[in-house]
Amino acid sequence: MQKDGVVKNNIFPMGDKNVAYDQFFTGQSYLKGLVAPADDINVGVGNVTFEPKCRNNWHIHHDGYQILLVTAGEGIYQELGKAAQLLKPGDVVVTHDGVKHWHGATKDSWFAHIAITAGKPEWLSPVSDEEYAKANLQIKE
């Protein structure tokens, strides 16, 4: 899938290179903050765009959750010990407090989702190339 197709067909802007969280991603991602946590709002909302093969590290949300609203492209979501899931526009993923997981683009597609996040993330190890390749195979089965 071409970058232009993901960006032009997405209702939220792509945002700038995601330098604030770059150390927690393999590959290039982009972030457009939509709602920042504040005293009266305890969630952050952002549009995250992934280039093909880009994924975030394994991570856990403590004292909160994460909801992903898939808006463009094809992606992968995986919880520790479970099979990888193919994500397409319109899919919704709810990650509960304390669940170790990762998400990102497939090897052949750009991917975008709105992330609604409460609590504090604990960033863990990168998803290895072997784990990523296995996930791409699982979603094709």
Side-chain angles (χ1 to χ4, degrees):
M1 174 175 283
Q2 295 296 318
K3 173 182 173 183
D4 287 348
V6 171
V7 174
K8 289 179 182 173
N9 294 320
N10 201 348
I11 61 174
F12 296 99
M14 185 168 92
D16 297 323
K17 286 186 176 182
N18 188 4
V19 294
Y21 294 91
D22 191 50
Q23 75 237 30
F24 305 121
F25 284 74
T26 299
Q28 186 61 60
S29 67
Y30 304 83
L31 177 63
K32 175 64 176 173
L34 303 174
V35 176
D39 290 341
D40 57 342
I41 300 172
N42 66 352
V43 298
V45 181
N47 182 33
V48 185
T49 304
F50 301 76
E51 290 185 358
K53 300 180 185 170
C54 178
R55 68 266 189 188
N56 54 32
N57 289 5
W58 288 99
H59 59 287
I60 298 170
H61 299 278
H62 295 287
D63 300 319
Y65 55 85
Q66 187 171 55
I67 300 170
L68 306 177
L69 309 174
V70 180
T71 59
E74 289 188 341
I76 301 170
Y77 172 85
Q78 186 173 25
E79 294 180 359
L80 184 64
K82 294 186 179 179
Q85 300 173 37
L86 176 64
L87 300 178
K88 293 186 175 186
D91 288 343
V92 176
V93 175
V94 177
T95 304
H96 295 281
D97 188 14
V99 175
K100 185 175 178 179
H101 68 287
W102 68 272
H103 34 102
T106 64
K107 63 184 180 70
D108 299 319
S109 178
W110 283 71
F111 175 60
H113 63 54
I114 302 299
I116 302 167
T117 308
K120 181 166 177 53
E122 176 186 0
W123 292 101
L124 304 167
S125 61
V127 174
S128 70
D129 290 343
E130 294 79 18
E131 289 171 315
Y132 182 72
K134 183 178 178 183
N136 273 276
L137 286 174
Q138 284 179 349
I139 63 170
K140 299 297 181 193
E141 294 176 349

